[in-house]
Amino acid sequence: MTIIVTGGAGFIGSNFIFHMLSKHPTYRIVCLDKLTYAGNLSTLAPVMDSPHFRFVKADICDREAVDRLFEEEHPDIVVNFAAESHVDRSIEDPGIFLRTNILGTQVLMDACRQYGIGRYHQVSTDEVYGDLPLDRPDLFFTEETPIHTSSPYSASKAGADLLVLAYHRTYGLPVTISRCSNNYGPYHFPEKLIPLMIANCLNNKPLPVYGKGENVRDWLYVEDHCKAIDLIIHNGRVGEVYNIGGHNEMRNIDIVKLICHELGKPESLITYVTDRKGHDMRYAIDPTKIHRELGWLPETKFADGIQKTIAWYRNNREWWETILSGEYQNYYEKMYGNR
């Protein structure tokens, strides 16, 4: 079995590669990544010398490079993590998000059609559903919830989802889609809430919180997410969407205060900043479908997952400090410059 994992040098993609190589030691995993600012090749250092792993630097929008890789590898499955994913950046420059998240998806699926594929899996987000009101804790996103996007990022992911389903209906491409809640865990790029707050706390820097920090997110430990995708690509029904949620709803401000408490830092580090444009108030996923059909449930309680995450960042300062300094972007040249 050969699986191409796009965006595998990013946060969730790298964790998925580690999971698959451990769970399926006979599989061949090929990582295709452009190594944009959010892709960190050093994350994959533990598996770079594995005979079951190959890394290829390329853009999913580069049709020639993608076709060449498919011709070389003849993959059985493609799992597409490759995406521009930071909402703030999408507000500043929507065009990059449309190109990578929609056109890149099209290039991948065209290659899947041309070379034959057992399964194309699109990794999406619960943000395509918009948001839920804070005063209705009984409401959750299901797979039937209408798409109602709030940012250029979520709109680009929704557009990609619709394109994936259209390729299934029009061309019979065997596809699945998963829409997950906010992930957290090791190797999370330190621009997102949890790793940013941990890094700033450890460096005694201000902790910027949007608005009053009352926005609620459903947090999913990244390892649980990887296990869910593993189940979907092997056993999920073709043409279906599966929601993956952690059943761990938390207000942003409560997470920040928890991190301060765990690290023994004063809450006076918290600084409230002007809220993000179109900031969604609450996300909450109902994962009944994936539990009913595939038997998946999140295994990691937030209290345990956040402690493991904080411990990882404390013990791996070099990983995120090289990101903050910009040095991580030189790793590819160090690895491949003389090859």
Side-chain angles (χ1 to χ4, degrees), residues 2 4 6 11 18 31 54 57 123 132 148 185 193 200 230 257 267 286 288 294 305 318:
T2 297
I4 289 180
T6 68
F11 166 44
F18 297 147
C31 173
R54 177 190 177 191
K57 183 181 180 183
V123 180
L132 297 166
H148 187 68
L193 178 71
N200 282 14
D230 186 4
K257 289 180 177 180
E267 292 183 10
D286 178 358
T288 298
L294 303 178
E318 184 181 0

Side-chain angles (χ1 to χ4, degrees), residues 157-297:
K157 292 297 288 185
D161 287 4
L162 294 174
L163 190 63
V164 170
L165 294 174
Y167 266 57
H168 170 62
R169 181 165 181 173
T170 303
Y171 305 113
L173 189 69
V175 307
T176 43
I177 297 172
S178 58
R179 293 173 180 155
C180 67
S181 55
N182 285 44
N183 281 221
Y184 70 104
Y187 300 107
H188 203 175
F189 196 82
E191 69 179 355
K192 302 297 178 76
L193 178 71
I194 288 178
L196 176 64
M197 296 302 152
I198 295 173
N200 282 14
C201 248
L202 289 170
N203 287 334
N204 297 305
K205 290 185 175 181
L207 309 176
V209 174
Y210 282 128
K212 296 180 180 179
E214 293 177 345
N215 308 73
V216 172
R217 298 293 181 262
D218 174 21
W219 291 94
L220 174 67
Y221 194 61
V222 65
E223 190 175 320
D224 291 342
H225 185 193
C226 294
K227 291 176 180 178
I229 295 174
D230 186 4
L231 281 171
I232 293 169
I233 62 176
H234 287 98
N235 303 312
R237 286 188 293 139
V238 168
E240 293 294 316
V241 176
Y242 293 92
N243 283 351
I244 308 172
H247 276 317
N248 283 308
E249 287 187 56
M250 296 279 292
R251 294 193 311 166
N252 288 350
I253 188 61
D254 294 331
I255 288 178
V256 178
K257 289 180 177 180
L258 175 61
I259 291 171
C260 287
H261 175 74
E262 291 289 332
L263 292 174
K265 303 294 184 177
E267 292 183 10
S268 58
L269 286 174
I270 298 173
T271 303
Y272 295 96
V273 299
T274 303
D275 207 355
R276 168 193 289 160
K277 296 176 182 177
H279 201 174
D280 290 336
M281 290 309 299
R282 173 176 171 255
Y283 302 149
I285 274 186
D286 178 358
T288 298
K289 179 178 177 178
I290 189 172
H291 173 59
R292 183 181 66 243
E293 294 191 12
L294 303 178
W296 180 88
L297 280 175

Side-chain angles (χ1 to χ4, degrees), residues 95-112:
I96 297 173
F97 286 71
L98 301 179
R99 178 180 180 273
T100 297
N101 297 357
I102 299 177
L103 297 181
T105 297
Q106 179 207 357
V107 169
L108 289 173
M109 290 193 298
D110 284 345
C112 287

